[in-house]
Amino acid sequence: MAPSVSEDNASRAAPDAPKHEHVLLSKRLVAINAASAVIARVLNVTVLLWMYQYLLARITPEEFAVYPVLTAVMIFAPLFFTLFTGGVARYVVDAYARGEPERVTQIASSIAPVIAGAGVLFCGAGLLLAGYVEHVLTITPSMVEPTRVMLVLLVVNYTLQMVLLPFTMGFHVRQRFVEFNALGIVRDLLRMALLLMFLVGIGPSVFWVVVAAVISEQLHLAGVVYRSTQLVPEVRFRPRLFDWRAAKELVSFGGWTSLGQLSNLLYINGATLILNAHGTALDVTNFHMGATFFNQIRMMIRLAAEPLQPAMTAMHSLEDRKRLARTALRGGRYGLLVALLGATPLAIYSREFVQLYLGETFADAAIVLALFMIVFLATQPVTLLPMVALATARVRAYNLAALASTSIGFVTMIVLAVYWGAGAIEIAATLVVVTLAVQVGYYWPLLFRLTGAHFGDFVWEVLFRGLAPAVAGGVVWAGLAWIAPPESWLTLFLWGAIGGVVYLATAAVCSLETGEREGLKKLINRFR
């Protein structure tokens, strides 16, 4: 078993830190947890790709556009609840790292009634919106009633997820992300089975996408809550431990976190709503399809890194700042390696990929896709920055800038759409330019301030070693595309595999340290 925080670091960082065996700092544990997250996300992407291709070949863009628009509307739901839930995970892990298990019960007992009250308000507002949805969103008349029902289902589903969130923290505290992701895989398999049954058995419609998702997510939620309370019995509700001061502290922390949530939500979903109001259904679909691959890669990396959050919080609690800096730099390098392995060939072969996947009708989606892949060059070097800000309780410095930059981009997109008739490509280009400027100009220096990392280390450890495989693989992919552009799935996969071998070989030689290569070999042997 891996050593506990106090056993592994107390002698170096905090001699008087209380011992608690639940918060572990184990590279092997983090690696296995991250691998399980990637597997779960790959399965999710597989379902998504099949669903999109199946529906777009059988329904009109006007009907399909309802789904990304509803998704964009519902994605703002976390903004409302983050005010109350944003600090739960951070404070629960911090309490365990300090050896205060009763504090965990107090946190859950203090915030649960507040979230329940917020849930009632949110559900009421969502049902009101559903009643007048045709007056708020641009929807084809034949889809008004199905849209109303789908919105009601989504509102109720999300309300239950948020109300029960404090009681799902057991996986986070015990770092049982492998088990959590296994439950997620079961959920995705169930969703796939239901979706297949509805679409093939009843008929193609975006309505069944929502129904299948809600059923599978509610069953998943029940299993997660049950298992979480088994893993950490302290994650429970005790009325006598309700404390307004604890609730106020959590809400205050969540207030700053919600600013970051708002910026994250406006980043892409705001663009979808703008195109819904001032563009065409084809614009919405092209933007959504191009942005989907960006979102899936970004989500996969975020989920893979999520197991680090408890450990990074513990590092800060035990004042192990050097280790925190090393972790942040290593995470940036890994983030670049993983993201660019998919982003580089997708950018180079975007036109051929979209042509084979969706057809010529959605040609603009290829340009949107290529534009979004560029974003990873700026975001992934500081991929762990949001987690560092959360671990160090410095979310204000991060989220205020995130909200300001996103607001600038949002206003710019509105002006372009209203006065210049900007479509999916112009909106995507605006997002890319704003993101590159803010990441390099503000977030990179912020990482240095929060962790104490040096710029020279960042350039060598993250940029040079993280970008080298993309340069080598990109030369091969671009050369193959110039010599013989892929015109079939077989050729596309073959060219991708050839460049992928060069990419991975370069990563093994230039990007990984000796200890990391040895650790990778051991990890592969453990999986075997």
Side-chain angles (χ1 to χ4, degrees), residues 22-72:
H22 287 157
V23 181
L24 307 175
L25 297 185
S26 166
K27 291 181 181 179
R28 181 175 63 87
L29 180 63
V30 170
I32 293 174
N33 286 338
S36 69
V38 171
I39 293 171
R41 178 50 47 176
V42 168
L43 177 62
N44 189 278
V45 171
T46 302
V47 176
L48 206 62
L49 292 178
W50 172 80
M51 179 190 75
Y52 284 167
Q53 189 177 46
Y54 184 88
L55 287 175
L56 285 171
R58 291 166 175 81
I59 64 177
T60 64
E62 287 75 18
E63 180 181 350
F64 182 85
V66 171
Y67 180 70
V69 169
L70 277 182
T71 303

Side-chain angles (χ1 to χ4, degrees), residues 375-438:
V375 172
F376 289 121
L377 294 173
T379 59
Q380 293 314 300
V382 291
T383 189
L384 295 186
L385 178 58
M387 301 173 69
V388 171
L390 190 64
T392 57
R394 297 285 297 278
V395 291
R396 178 178 179 178
Y398 178 85
N399 290 329
L400 277 178
L403 180 59
S405 61
T406 304
S407 299
I408 293 172
F410 189 69
V411 172
T412 304
M413 287 188 293
I414 292 177
V415 172
L416 291 175
V418 173
Y419 296 102
W420 281 277
I425 295 175
E426 294 80 7
I427 294 298
T430 301
L431 284 175
V432 172
V433 171
V434 172
T435 301
L436 293 179
V438 173

Side-chain angles (χ1 to χ4, degrees), residues 50 54-55 58 192-205 208:
W50 172 80
Y54 184 88
L55 287 175
R58 291 166 175 81
M192 184 189 302
L194 291 172
L195 196 56
L196 185 64
M197 181 178 68
F198 291 148
L199 293 179
V200 178
I202 301 177
S205 172
W208 300 122

Side-chain angles (χ1 to χ4, degrees), residues 69-70 73 123-140 143-152 155 276:
V69 169
L70 277 182
V73 170
C123 196
L127 296 179
L128 182 63
L129 174 62
Y132 296 93
V133 67
E134 68 272 25
H135 302 295
V136 180
L137 303 175
T138 303
I139 301 172
T140 185
M143 287 299 297
V144 170
E145 287 305 317
T147 301
R148 202 186 316 278
V149 177
M150 285 189 286
L151 186 55
V152 169
V155 166
N276 173 251

Side-chain angles (χ1 to χ4, degrees), residues 445-486:
L446 180 61
L447 180 71
F448 307 149
R449 294 202 303 270
L450 294 185
T451 63
H454 299 292
F455 179 72
D457 294 334
F458 177 79
V459 170
W460 169 254
E461 177 77 12
V462 180
L463 297 183
F464 179 80
R465 299 173 67 186
L467 292 173
V471 173
V475 169
V476 174
W477 280 314
L480 291 172
W482 181 71
I483 296 171

